[in-house]
Structures are given as C-alpha cells and as structure tokens.
Amino acid sequence: MPPSPPIIGVIGKTNVGKSTFFEAATMVPAKIENRPFVTIEPNIGVGYVRKICVHTLIGLPKCDARNSLCIEGYRFIPVKLLDVAGLVKGAHEGRGLGNKFMDDLRQADVLLHIVDMSGSTDAEGNPVPPGTHDPLEDILTIENEVNEWFYERIRKDWERFSRGLDSMSLDEVVNAIAQRVSGFSIRREHVALSLRELNLESKKPSTWSEDELKEFVIRLRELSKPIVIVANKMDIPKSEENYRRIKETLPGKVLIPASAAYELALRKAERLGLIKYLPGDKDFTLVNEERINSKQRKALEIIEGFMRKYEGTGVQAAINYAVFNVLKMIVVYPVEDPHKYTDSFGNILPDAYLVREGTTALELAYLIHTDLGKGFLHAILAREGKRVGGSYTLKDNDVVKIVSAKTSKR
Ligand SMILES: Nc1nc2c(ncn2[C@@H]2O[C@H](COP(=O)(O)OP(=O)(O)OP(=O)(O)O)[C@@H](O)[C@H]2O)c(=O)[nH]1
Ligand SMILES: [Mg+2]
C-alpha cells in the first residue's frame, strides 16, 4: 500500500484562527467566527506540501502527476489536516470544552500550534484590543495542556500495567509500551529513545516515581507529536512587537510568522479568477483587473505588502516546515521505466511519495506493493542510471525503479 499521508493536527487556544488556517490550507469550508468555541466537531481535509518537482530538475518539459499535483513546476503532495476544538488553560481539569476532543488527534504525526500573536484574544478566547493579552502565556499553557492530555491517557491503569513489565528484558519492555501506546501514533524508537534519555532503561517500571513517569510521557509526546508554533495574525500591527519579544524569550523555538486570514483571502480571490496565486508563492498577480473593485484592490495591496515582508503568508511555510524539517520527510518518485521516467502506462513521474528520511530501497518496494518487496532483487536510481541494493538509503528526489522477481499488477 502506498504510504499514507502524514497527519497534521491544528491546535491552539480557542478563537486564534485554527479553522481559518485549516480552511486556507485545504479549501474545505469551516465555521469561522470571532468568538470562543466555534469549532466543536473536528474538520478533516487535505492540504499539500509544496516542493520543486523533480521533472524540472531532470530537465523534462512536463510530468503527469497522478497521486499529487504538479503546477508550474511545483509538486503539491497531499497531507491530512485536522482542525479541532480550541483549548483553554485548565482544559485537563474540564475547563472550556475540556481536552477529551484531543483524542481526535491521536493519529497526528505533528501538531501546528496556532497562536494569536497580536494578543487580541484573552485567556478564554474572548476578543480584546490587540496587545492586551500576552501570547507567550498561550504558547506555554497550550503546550502544557497537550502534555496533560497525553499524560492522562498513558497513565491510565499504569500501576497494573507497569508491574507486568518488571520481569521483562529491556527489549520486551520497549515492545510492550510501544504496543500499549500504538493508537497514539507512537513508534518503537520513540519509546526506546525516551527511556534512554531519561535513564529509565534499567529501572523497574513499577518503581518509577510520578515525576519520572511524567517526564517519560512528556518526552514521548515531544518525539511522537512535536509542536510547531505558528505566529498567526501577524497582519495586526501589535503582533510584530510580540513576535520579536517572544523570539528573544524562547531562543530555541521556531515561530513561523503567518496570516491565515490573508492566505484564505488570496485563495478565495484566486478561485474567483481575480488573481493568479499559487499557495506558497511570495507574491501574486492581478488578472481581470476590470473586475476588481477599489476595496478589493486596496485589500490586495495590503496583503502584497505583508507578503513582501514575510516572503509569503506563512501558511504553506508552516506545513512545509512541519513535514520537511520536523518530520524530516523526503520525496521519492517510483517509476517502472527508469529511462523514460514513466509508469507502465507511459505516465511521466506519476507518483510522488513522502517517506521518512532513512527509508531504504527495500522498504520503498514494500510501500509500493507487498509483492514487489517480497521478490525484491535490486533498485535502479533512474537519474544516475545506477543499480543499488535493498539497504540503500533513499535520498530526496530519487527516482526509483524497483526490480523484483514478482511484478506488481499496476
Ligand atoms: N487579523 C486576522 N484575523 C484572523 C486571522 N486568522 C483568523 N482570524 C480571525 O480570528 C477569528 C477566529 O478565527 P477561527 O478560525 O474561527 O478561530 P478558531 O481558532 O478556529 O476558533 P474556535 O474554533 O472557536 O476555537 C475570526 O474572526 C477570524 O477571521 C489572521 O491571520 N489575521
Ligand atoms: Mg475553529
């Protein structure tokens, strides 16, 4: 089975622009209003990472993208986005809508934390004048709420479960814990690394202190659901000052400046045929100028100024950052004919697969089709015209033909 797309959870305090970000990224209509707790049920949609298509790197005039889109030389590869209800401080004690709905994010691979950088929503998500609320508080409290949610879920029945681990070898302990938390998209290596980093490898699990268990769970959360901060509403003047101050206060954190509202406006204008804009572009051009009224023109001018300053609206940048920099995924292109770069129907570079860095040629064969994996003989790197074995670690933009004793029926 081809790799399933990475899942990106959109989280944050209530009324900060999560659904606006979601709709801008997916064009799936979402309820958006300036009041707390508008979203109750999760919104699910498809967004895309954007990357230069390998056909342009090879020098081909075009490709026939099938599992993804290729527009003007850019590949847009699907990712899944989940927009959930908003959190408030104390959600794990039942405040606001509580944190039970976070279970909708169990499968998420990475979380985009949308922050109202303008400080125009108070701790409860009510509108207040910009600069009134400190977004730094939200960054810290929401992360804490996410950790508490994770902790509650994993701690459940821990005493009994941990006693069963005491007689096991380290390997068995890692497997047992990984199995127990598999519904949270936590991988074996996340469990192994957390145990090692916290010096818990040789300590009987039933004797861990409450603090040790909590540290372990938080580390697991950081590894299995890393958080990327999106500094939203950067279009409001007060935001820049907050952004600079918070960047200095949290030197290790990456903050991605964004205006979800501007991205949404651009996508809508593009749909109406008023502008030409490709998500992730640093600018746009007007088309049908006679159809653009003076109010729209003024709004577009303001957006243009913002994009010049921040090199885009930040929405595509946030998705790309989450997938390429945090999840460290690469893009590879399986083909049947390594000379023509085509599948068996003559489609040029039809599929672009997002896979984790470190994926081998043999693993790719299994991802394309189990039979291809079972009968794996070797792989051919089409661009280099080179034959490699099953243990070859794939590189970004590799175009790969799998040679197998069994053929896939594609
Ligand atoms: N100025 C500005 N306003 C924004 C931006 N993004 C969202 N908003 C506004 O913020 C308000 C809340 O947006 P939503 O997307 O509904 O926020 P949410 O986080 O999904 O809210 P809940 O679902 O209620 O928790 C709306 O009035 C949006 O128009 C932005 O980038 N800039
Ligand atoms: Mg919402």
Side-chain angles (χ1 to χ4, degrees), residues 301-374:
E301 272 168 20
I302 293 171
I303 296 178
E304 197 179 23
F306 179 92
M307 292 172 84
R308 214 173 294 130
K309 185 163 175 187
Y310 293 104
E311 303 193 323
T313 68
V315 170
Q316 186 67 63
I319 295 174
N320 270 26
Y321 187 84
V323 173
F324 294 132
N325 298 65
V326 177
L327 295 179
K328 299 203 185 317
M329 299 192 93
I330 58 170
V331 180
V332 297
Y333 297 80
V335 292
E336 280 287 337
D337 184 332
H339 305 292
K340 295 190 182 136
Y341 302 102
T342 56
D343 64 7
S344 50
F345 305 106
N347 296 310
I348 301 166
L349 297 162
D351 295 335
Y353 281 12
L354 273 173
V355 297
R356 287 186 186 276
E357 208 175 77
T359 301
T360 63
L362 179 61
E363 286 164 344
L364 176 67
Y366 272 101
L367 282 175
I368 301 169
H369 198 287
T370 317
D371 283 349
L372 271 188
K374 282 185 185 154

Side-chain angles (χ1 to χ4, degrees), residues 60-101:
L60 296 170
K62 63 150 200 145
C63 69
D64 306 304
R66 218 180 45 166
N67 78 337
S68 42
L69 310 167
C70 186
I71 312 171
E72 291 171 14
Y74 291 99
R75 260 299 159 121
F76 288 85
I77 308 164
V79 296
K80 195 166 156 186
L81 266 90
L82 283 173
D83 163 42
V84 297
L87 289 159
V88 285
K89 188 174 183 173
H92 70 285
E93 289 154 348
R95 297 195 57 227
L97 298 176
N99 67 4
K100 278 198 193 63
F101 64 82

